[in-house]
Amino acid sequence: QRQLVDSGGGLVQAGGSLRLSCAASGRTFSNYAMGWFRQAPGKEREFVAAINWSGDSTYYADSVKGRFTISRDTAKNTMYLQMNSLKPEDTAVYYCNAAANPPLLKAGRVDYWGQGTQVTVSS
């Protein structure tokens, strides 16, 4: 059984950095696109970033482009989201996920979800 466990959230001041991790367990996720969504209080869940199965193509929401970097380590079955220059509007619960390909992932047609990790950015 495949499972995703995300971690690395916390409280940080505006302008700071955090790195989120998403550890996959069970069967491999090497053939899946993986990514991150986030949900702020009172708002809908929104796409943040995605990476294809081989790791050579990445996709970002306009709101995080240039500040966030998604990567994956297939050998460790782990995905990362490096978040720099954080802003208060980045405050949300961040969820890692996996889907058959990046377009499906961006559309929210996800096969697996992590449990979420809270990121809070203070001004």
Side-chain angles (χ1 to χ4, degrees), residues 26-37:
R27 298 179 64 183
T28 181
F29 280 83
S30 61
N31 293 330
Y32 282 81
M34 299 186 73
W36 296 89
F37 274 66

Side-chain angles (χ1 to χ4, degrees), residues 38-41 87-94 118-122:
R38 67 186 181 186
Q39 187 166 22
K87 304 175 181 180
E89 51 264 43
D90 294 319
T91 295
V93 178
Y94 284 69
Q118 175 71 48
V119 171
T120 303
V121 184
S122 63

